Amino acid sequence: MKKTWSEVLQKEEEQVFRALAARANYVAIDVPNIQYPTKEVCRDMSKPSISGCEKLARYRVGFEEVLFEFKWLSEEEAKKISGYTDSDWAGCRKSRKSTSGGAIMLGRHCSRTWSSTQPVHALSVAEAEYYALVEGSTRCLGLQTMLKELGVEAGVVVLSTDSSSAKSFASRRGLGRMRHIEVKELRLQETVCRGRIQPKKVDGTVNPADLFTKYLTNVDVDKHLNSLNCRRVKACANDSSATA
């Protein structure tokens, strides 16, 4: 009898699913275009289902390598940290939690990317985008601190978002109308006030962080990868040394 999409797997099948999901999660560190689907698959590891297997198989069939291009940077370029953040408000159909995604560029080099489920329920698009900005600022400042320990004084972090509301909220002081936001999230306002981070508005169609918040077409995937100086290439099946 054919299983339905929501039906859970048998114990032996669960073990195989978890093994494959863990492997995909390990590979996704260096493959930006599968970070969001892999994150969604790993959320089903406690109770794997047929639908979760379908997601995993869809993103493994025709798997391609992703190449990162690290071109020569001038001394000034190597000190510029820029970040991109985005969110998909209430994108999870089960929990209605939002996803935060982002990328950090050091000059023209892609240094870090991420896709994560927000721990709280955002009550609006602006709130979800602001939470994504907070996470992006934390990661960017972490890179700035690491460079300082290495003797490199990086400039002001430019943190881009496609939400005018989130940018505006980050640039002022106080809760305003969004009084349900926890005080700990206001640290971004303090950081902006001190001049360590400069919020910037970008168009949603050219925001590469969109890659880490939702399922996209191949055309959009390639467009955002190009923005990060990355590109997909066909994997060589006979080359056992090939890595993604």
Side-chain angles (χ1 to χ4, degrees), residues 85 100-101 114 116 130-140 187:
T85 65
S100 293
W114 67 90
S116 60
Y130 179 73
Y131 287 147
L133 264 180
V134 171
E135 182 174 359
S137 67
T138 302
R139 294 176 183 268
C140 287
R187 65 184 185 275

Side-chain angles (χ1 to χ4, degrees), residues 25 29 33 46 67 78 109 129 147 156 158 163 168 175 201 219 227 231:
N25 192 42
I29 297 175
N33 55 299
S46 60
L67 300 182
H109 297 166
E129 294 283 359
L147 290 176
V156 177
V158 178
S163 172
S168 175
L175 289 169
K201 173 68 168 63
V219 174
S227 300
R231 57 188 175 90

Side-chain angles (χ1 to χ4, degrees), residues 98-117:
S98 308
T99 294
S100 293
I104 302 177
M105 304 292 291
L106 185 59
R108 290 171 290 165
H109 297 166
C110 181
S111 174
R112 181 79 181 273
T113 59
W114 67 90
S115 177
S116 60
T117 301

Side-chain angles (χ1 to χ4, degrees), residues 166-197:
K167 174 182 176 295
S168 175
F169 187 72
S171 301
R172 67 169 186 257
R173 302 294 296 273
L175 289 169
R177 294 183 179 180
M178 293 199 287
R179 296 186 181 276
H180 56 278
I181 291 182
E182 295 191 26
V183 175
K184 66 179 182 179
E185 306 298 343
L186 299 181
R187 65 184 185 275
L188 174 57
Q189 293 183 344
E190 182 69 20
T191 307
V192 173
C193 181
R194 292 182 177 182
R196 295 187 64 188
I197 287 183

Side-chain angles (χ1 to χ4, degrees), residues 23-217:
R23 182 173 296 183
N25 192 42
Y26 177 77
V27 173
I29 297 175
D30 298 318
V31 187
N33 55 299
I34 68 169
Q35 286 184 349
Y36 173 74
T38 299
K39 186 264 293 185
E40 290 296 294
V41 167
C42 289
R43 294 180 65 194
D44 295 334
M45 290 182 71
S46 60
K47 292 183 179 180
S49 63
I50 298 298
S51 62
C53 290
E54 189 267 343
K55 292 178 184 177
L56 188 58
R58 178 173 44 170
Y59 279 88
R60 291 300 296 174
V61 173
F63 187 77
E64 298 172 319
E65 295 180 354
V66 174
L67 300 182
F68 288 73
E69 296 184 358
F70 295 96
K71 299 179 180 179
W72 180 262
L73 299 178
S74 65
E75 184 175 350
E76 290 301 317
E77 286 181 309
K79 295 181 180 179
K80 294 181 179 179
I81 300 176
S82 57
Y84 296 90
T85 65
D86 191 24
S87 74
D88 183 27
W89 179 48
C92 179
R93 296 183 179 181
K94 295 180 181 179
S95 65
R96 285 306 174 188
K97 287 187 176 181
S98 308
T99 294
S100 293
I104 302 177
M105 304 292 291
L106 185 59
R108 290 171 290 165
H109 297 166
C110 181
S111 174
R112 181 79 181 273
T113 59
W114 67 90
S115 177
S116 60
T117 301
Q118 295 181 0
V120 297
H121 289 87
L123 302 185
S124 65
V125 176
E127 185 178 342
E129 294 283 359
Y130 179 73
Y131 287 147
L133 264 180
V134 171
E135 182 174 359
S137 67
T138 302
R139 294 176 183 268
C140 287
L141 291 177
L143 176 59
Q144 187 186 61
T145 301
M146 184 187 71
L147 290 176
K148 186 175 182 179
E149 292 176 351
L150 296 174
V152 178
E153 289 290 342
V156 177
V157 174
V158 178
L159 192 57
S160 300
T161 176
D162 53 24
S163 172
S164 299
S165 299
K167 174 182 176 295
S168 175
F169 187 72
S171 301
R172 67 169 186 257
R173 302 294 296 273
L175 289 169
R177 294 183 179 180
M178 293 199 287
R179 296 186 181 276
H180 56 278
I181 291 182
E182 295 191 26
V183 175
K184 66 179 182 179
E185 306 298 343
L186 299 181
R187 65 184 185 275
L188 174 57
Q189 293 183 344
E190 182 69 20
T191 307
V192 173
C193 181
R194 292 182 177 182
R196 295 187 64 188
I197 287 183
Q198 176 186 341
K200 179 182 177 182
K201 173 68 168 63
V202 295
D203 191 86
T205 59
V206 297
N207 186 2
D210 190 47
L211 179 63
F212 312 106
T213 60
K214 59 182 71 71
Y215 297 108
L216 300 175
T217 64

